[in-house]
Amino acid sequence: MTRVPPTVEWSSEDGGVVRMIDQTRLPEQLLMLDCQDVECVAQAIERLSVRGAPAIGCAAALGMALAAHRSDATDTASLRGDLAAARDRLAATRPTAVNLFWALGEMDRVLDQYREAEIAQVREALLARAEEIVQDDLQRCMAIGRNALDLIPQGANILTHCNAGALATAGYGTALGVIRAAHEAGREIHVWVDETRPLLQGARLTAWELCAEGIPATLITDNMAGYVMGQGRVDCVVVGSDRIAANGDVANKIGTYTVAVLAGRHDIPLYVAAPVSTIDYDLASGDLIPIEERDHAEVSMLAHRVETAVCPDVAIYNPAFDVTPSDLVSAIITEKGVAVAPYAESLAAMRD
Ligand code: MRU
């Protein structure tokens, strides 16, 4: 079994770095990327070296600690200036995953609490909170897995989309946390892994994680999901989320909505697994969720390697996420329990 290092963490080597698995290199190579400044962390988030909503939040929190650590400010006013710039840079990386903004908000709270403190104390407090966010995320994922156990029967065939695994979180995963917990509880499950175009997070990352755990899995291309559902070979769908609106509408990797419609057509339950930090209580519904649009080359090429759209005049559209309306969601599993419709009430009851 491959021993997988933490997705993202603080290392005190080289005077303090944010260390992460470079997910753009998987599955061919398991390489670590050490960031020595906040620009490196921001670029790593943008190019998906670190990705997945909770992991982006962890990286941003550690990025703020790094900015404080590396700042050469000699007075607190200049330190605050450096940190405001770092915050703006990190906040501009990816718009959809609310965990990014949640984590930056948590770091702002530390700054408020330490308004009168010395520079060294501010640095220490920011790092302590960032490391706590990482540890908390791992615990939350494990709780999500435990809370889902009653939903995953013995012998279940589970379809998942994108990667909501250890790589997308501080460890264990949300959707894959549900799958891991069922496997650890002795359920003989099997996972259908959607390849997840354009960037193949399913093929490259989810299949890799499941293989490492010895969990039986079958890789399919995204357009095969309806066929295997029609064959009666899928018992439930479990996905993660980047942002959940207060009414239970769910933003997740592009293609999730398609899977949800197909699941609805075949009476297959669709479960969303996410920590409470993914719920945006300020957004009434999913149509308000900002959807990231990414580089056209992700669509016109396969894995940045082979050009597939040879006509230079063809228009390209590359939304990275879509929104599944809450009526297609059977339950939202969080670390606090299982929410069902009406979501406005059940999610409100979970608010931290
Ligand atoms: O573009 P990505 O790879 O960051 O998209 C990730 C997803 O859509 C995940 O499903 C989501 O962030 C949940 S991760 C626990």
Side-chain angles (χ1 to χ4, degrees), residues 23 48 50-56 94 97 99 141 161-165 168-169 173-175 199 201 205 239-242 251-254 256 273-275 292 294 320-321:
Q23 299 187 35
L48 312 198
V50 60
R51 41 134 315 269
I56 294 171
R94 299 191 74 190
N99 311 59
C141 287
H161 190 75
C162 194
N163 173 270
T169 58
T174 55
L199 291 180
Q201 287 93 332
L205 309 177
V239 292
S241 174
D242 290 85
N252 192 45
K253 178 52 56 193
I254 191 77
T256 304
E292 177 183 7
R294 293 185 59 86
F321 301 96

Side-chain angles (χ1 to χ4, degrees), residues 227-250:
Y227 183 63
V228 292
M229 286 183 188
Q231 290 178 317
R233 299 170 76 191
V234 179
D235 300 302
C236 64
V237 175
V238 185
V239 292
S241 174
D242 290 85
R243 196 185 293 226
I244 300 172
N247 70 345
D249 293 346
V250 172

Side-chain angles (χ1 to χ4, degrees), residues 72-333:
D72 50 18
T74 49
D75 58 84
T76 43
S78 328
L79 178 69
R80 281 175 182 279
D82 288 349
L83 289 174
R87 189 195 192 290
D88 289 350
R89 177 68 185 97
L90 290 164
T93 51
R94 299 191 74 190
T96 304
V98 77
N99 311 59
L100 169 69
F101 306 98
W102 172 84
L104 291 174
E106 291 297 303
M107 301 310 270
D108 282 347
R109 290 222 312 231
V110 173
L111 281 175
D112 280 350
Q113 276 164 15
Y114 284 77
R115 187 156 289 283
E116 310 297 331
E118 300 289 315
I119 291 183
Q121 278 180 306
V122 177
R123 285 194 176 119
E124 217 174 282
L126 285 173
L127 180 56
R129 181 64 188 122
E131 291 199 298
E132 196 175 60
I133 286 173
V134 176
Q135 280 316 309
D136 265 11
D137 186 59
L138 181 60
Q139 298 308 320
R140 286 172 194 236
C141 287
M142 294 175 90
I144 289 170
R146 284 194 297 276
N147 290 342
L149 275 178
D150 287 347
L151 300 172
I152 310 295
Q154 174 65 304
N157 283 287
I158 305 163
L159 186 140
T160 192
H161 190 75
C162 194
N163 173 270
L167 291 166
T169 58
Y172 206 72
T174 55
L176 285 199
V178 169
I179 288 165
R180 269 197 176 88
H183 175 73
E184 286 164 8
R187 314 256 157 97
E188 287 165 11
I189 53 171
H190 161 261
V191 185
W192 293 103
V193 180
D194 270 0
E195 172 187 49
T196 318
R197 269 287 280 156
L199 291 180
L200 309 177
Q201 287 93 332
R204 294 190 303 106
L205 309 177
T206 298
W208 183 78
E209 280 197 43
L210 292 171
C211 285
E213 290 279 328
I215 300 175
T218 306
L219 178 64
I220 55 174
T221 61
D222 302 334
N223 48 359
M224 296 174 189
Y227 183 63
V228 292
M229 286 183 188
Q231 290 178 317
R233 299 170 76 191
V234 179
D235 300 302
C236 64
V237 175
V238 185
V239 292
S241 174
D242 290 85
R243 196 185 293 226
I244 300 172
N247 70 345
D249 293 346
V250 172
N252 192 45
K253 178 52 56 193
I254 191 77
T256 304
Y257 172 55
T258 315
V259 170
V261 171
L262 288 168
R265 159 84 186 179
H266 294 94
D267 281 330
I268 296 168
L270 176 126
Y271 303 124
V272 175
V276 170
S277 54
T278 301
I279 304 169
D280 188 343
Y281 289 98
D282 293 334
L283 292 191
S285 64
D287 49 0
L288 299 168
I289 297 175
I291 300 294
E292 177 183 7
E293 283 187 40
R294 293 185 59 86
D295 189 353
H296 290 177
E298 293 177 356
V299 173
S300 65
M301 301 184 81
L302 271 181
H304 288 294
R305 289 183 188 117
V306 184
E307 190 72 57
T308 57
V310 282
C311 163
D313 295 330
V314 73
I316 289 174
Y317 180 43
N318 185 19
F321 301 96
D322 59 27
V323 177
T324 298
S326 62
D327 60 305
L328 293 173
V329 177
S330 310
I332 297 174
I333 308 152

Side-chain angles (χ1 to χ4, degrees), residues 8-20 34-36 62 65-66 69-70 127 131:
V8 58
E9 65 177 346
W10 179 264
S11 162
S12 43
E13 276 173 40
D14 293 331
V17 296
V18 176
R19 176 166 293 166
M20 61 187 80
D34 280 359
C35 281
Q36 310 217 351
L62 291 167
L66 182 65
H69 223 74
R70 295 280 172 171
L127 180 56
E131 291 199 298

